[in-house]
Amino acid sequence: MPDPVESPASDALLPPGPDPGAERAARRGFRLLVGSHLLNETGAAATLVVLPLTAVLALDASAWQTALIESAYFCAYLVLGLPAGALVERARPRRVMIGADAVRCVALASLPLAWAADGLSLPMVYAVALLLGCAQLFGDIADHSYLPRLVREEQLVQGNSTLQLIRSGAELGGPGLGGLSVQWLGAYWALAANAVGSAVSAVLLWRIKVPEPEPPALAHGLARQTWEGLSFVRRQPVLRMLAVSASLNNLVFSAAFALDVVFLSKVVGVPAGLVGVLLASGAVGALAGAWLTPRLARRFGDARTATLAVPVAAPFLLLAPLTQDDWRVLLFALAHLAISVGVTVFNILQVTYRQRVCPADLLSRVSAIFRFAVWGAAPLGALAGGALAAHLGVRPALWTLAVALLAVAPLLLCSPLRRTRDFDVNFPTVPTSC
């Protein structure tokens, strides 16, 4: 994670060109984008708690049914993750972001309205989760594409640092805010508040006055562009192993995390506000992992650190099913904190390697492939977690998944990376067998 900046909306963030009016518009546009980003990231993190809590409290949803909510949310990454980058390239990014906010607002507002009319149902909650996932996918890609319109090229790192700082803060505070909003306001009004936040975000984006050029004409079709990225990853053994490892790890993580809300609220019996606070422990781990990554990479080497990050953290997941409604509730927080440290360290280092090894004109497509591989596994994992909980019970399912993580986490130790201290962009094209 980039280091935080002292003044994210300062005059240092300026667009190219000497026009003072354009510079003022860009500075104001960046502030509006930051405001929109804050509302969206906080709302997204809160919604992942509010939606399953709504299903549990209003519809008495089971572990399998709450897992389906997370599966529906991440289904967009599985279905649209590969072509999403090229699709956004064909439109103006600010319009994509405004459209994503409009979808969020309508989808979220429909739930309390249906609840008031006694028409709320689980299929409707699943449909809303699917729409929210689609909006998040396209909104995330578009805001990264739009930032260069508002800042100079040499200030992109500072601008991205600001947006990443907001995302990390939202991941830290959003789940707790979602749980507390359900506890204090009720799920009905918590959903309505999230809908209002999306509407305000759309208004902030609409008020940005920086002009956008027409989307560039593309030489190849969507399928051809996607295939070029896939072919590049297929020819790179290290990239291929990183993608497979990340996908399998996230398959298990998604299965376990899909059970967290129902496990804490119905099995352990903690209040809704504490559910959100406990889930926020993962964000604390992410912040710690971001701080540790450069230090670990310098001490042990970036390839070795990436290879060992998740295997070292994996045993901590065995603490989660030991959670009880007493001091042992801290075991849940410790498990998620440790897992988030390992995953964050791995993610930062594999992203850095991708940026080094990928040609500039392929980087966005390769990034989309990794997004598909990692987050496309999330709905499948959520379904698997729900199925395990339905057949074994929630706590035994968490035990099973913790053991499964111990099996898949060391995959990179069976790759060429096991003998390597630092990543090499000229790695052999044929992977070494384990």
Side-chain angles (χ1 to χ4, degrees):
M1 184 186 73
D3 292 330
V5 293
E6 294 182 2
S7 182
S10 69
D11 290 353
L13 296 171
L14 301 175
D19 185 353
E23 292 179 353
R24 286 194 298 271
R27 288 196 298 269
R28 182 171 182 271
F30 182 77
R31 290 192 291 268
L32 292 170
L33 179 65
V34 167
S36 168
H37 203 70
L38 177 62
L39 289 169
N40 281 332
E41 294 298 332
T42 305
T47 298
L48 287 177
V49 175
V50 173
L51 272 186
L53 278 176
T54 298
V56 169
L57 298 175
L59 302 169
D60 195 28
S62 66
W64 165 251
Q65 291 165 334
T66 56
L68 284 176
I69 296 173
E70 182 168 333
S71 178
Y73 184 89
F74 288 108
C75 189
Y77 293 85
L78 181 63
V79 177
L80 299 173
L82 284 177
L87 287 170
V88 171
E89 288 179 4
R90 289 162 161 76
R92 295 182 179 181
R94 186 167 67 101
R95 293 183 181 180
V96 174
M97 290 187 289
I98 293 174
D101 281 335
V103 170
R104 289 188 189 98
C105 180
V106 173
L108 287 166
S110 69
L111 292 178
L113 292 175
W115 196 346
D118 200 26
L120 186 64
S121 65
L122 282 170
M124 184 176 184
V125 176
Y126 301 148
V128 167
L130 176 62
L131 288 173
L132 293 175
C134 291
Q136 188 70 25
L137 171 64
F138 283 91
D140 282 349
I141 295 172
D143 71 18
H144 286 97
S145 302
Y146 188 59
L147 182 63
R149 307 289 181 198
L150 304 179
V151 302
R152 291 184 181 139
E153 183 177 353
E154 64 270 18
Q155 296 297 331
L156 278 174
V157 172
Q158 185 177 348
N160 278 311
S161 296
T162 302
L163 299 184
Q164 182 60 49
L165 179 62
I166 290 171
R167 182 176 292 111
S168 297
E171 290 172 354
L172 178 61
L177 181 62
L180 290 173
S181 65
V182 172
Q183 183 171 322
W184 293 344
L185 303 176
Y188 183 101
W189 290 108
L191 291 166
N194 277 358
V196 170
S198 294
V200 173
S201 172
V203 171
L204 293 177
L205 293 171
W206 176 75
R207 294 181 62 192
I208 296 176
K209 302 303 181 183
V210 177
E212 290 182 85
E214 290 290 335
L218 300 175
H220 302 300
L222 185 65
R224 172 73 178 276
Q225 286 182 289
T226 303
W227 177 250
E228 288 175 350
L230 286 168
S231 298
F232 180 81
V233 173
R234 182 174 55 86
R235 294 192 303 268
Q236 298 287 331
V238 174
L239 278 180
R240 190 167 65 244
M241 289 298 296
L242 289 172
V244 171
S245 176
S247 181
L248 290 176
N249 288 334
N250 205 45
L251 185 72
V252 179
F253 292 143
S254 300
F257 297 162
L259 304 178
D260 281 348
V261 170
V262 70
F263 173 64
L264 292 172
S265 61
K266 299 185 76 170
V267 178
V268 180
V270 301
L274 184 55
V275 171
V277 172
L278 289 171
L279 294 178
S281 60
V284 176
L287 291 172
W291 181 82
L292 284 170
T293 299
R295 293 159 178 82
L296 293 173
R298 285 195 298 268
R299 176 67 179 83
F300 301 106
D302 53 2
R304 185 174 299 161
T305 302
T307 302
L308 294 174
V310 178
V312 169
F316 284 89
L317 194 59
L318 293 166
L319 298 177
L322 296 173
T323 303
Q324 299 290 348
D325 190 17
D326 51 29
W327 67 267
R328 285 170 289 183
V329 77
L330 296 176
L331 296 177
F332 182 92
L334 179 58
H336 281 62
L337 187 149
I339 290 296
S340 292
V341 169
V343 170
T344 301
V345 171
F346 170 78
N347 282 341
I348 290 173
L349 294 176
Q350 61 93 357
V351 167
T352 302
Y353 176 72
R354 290 204 324 251
Q355 292 170 336
R356 289 174 57 200
V357 77
C358 294
D361 58 341
L362 280 174
L363 181 57
S364 61
R365 278 171 279 175
V366 171
S367 297
I369 290 166
F370 270 75
R371 184 180 292 267
F372 167 78
V374 176
W375 292 109
L380 303 178
L383 288 174
L388 279 174
H391 286 86
L392 304 177
V394 178
R395 200 183 295 271
L398 289 175
W399 280 115
T400 303
L401 293 167
V403 173
L405 182 61
L406 293 177
V408 302
L411 178 63
L412 287 178
L413 297 175
C414 297
S415 77
L417 293 176
R418 74 181 186 276
R419 301 194 191 97
T420 305
R421 185 184 190 278
D422 295 297
F423 283 119
D424 182 358
V425 296
N426 299 312
F427 226 92
T429 58
V430 180
T432 305
S433 60
C434 186

